[in-house]
Amino acid sequence: MRVWLPETYYSQPDRAFGVFLFHDGQNVFDARTSAFGTEWGADEAATALAANSAIGAWILVGIDNSGAVPRRDT
């Protein structure tokens, strides 16, 4: 499992945050762990959308699939 916290998580400790779950979590945040070498960019998208007030701040959780995924060092 991989968890991404918005910038406001620590500065607003009393705030309630929604949680967004992703399947195939190894692909969500980091190209080095992605099965195909390309990440989905969920953290960048959430940051941009929150900055434009399109959405509020969310906690993003990527749940890895059960298969072994080789780490990419590129």
Side-chain angles (χ1 to χ4, degrees):
M1 179 171 45
R2 299 149 200 275
V3 178
W4 177 85
L5 302 172
E7 293 179 15
T8 55
Y9 182 80
Y10 292 105
S11 64
Q12 299 176 5
D14 296 329
R15 179 178 177 176
F17 291 88
V19 178
F20 197 95
L21 302 175
F22 293 89
H23 293 282
D24 298 329
Q26 72 281 356
N27 299 321
V28 177
F29 306 117
D30 189 346
R32 293 175 296 159
T33 59
S34 172
F36 302 102
T38 304
E39 67 167 280
W40 296 351
D43 48 337
E44 292 89 354
T47 299
L49 289 168
N52 293 325
S53 299
I55 63 169
W58 284 71
I59 295 171
L60 307 181
V61 178
I63 302 168
D64 291 359
N65 69 18
S66 59
V69 177
R71 181 169 177 86
R72 299 181 188 271
D73 292 324
T74 57

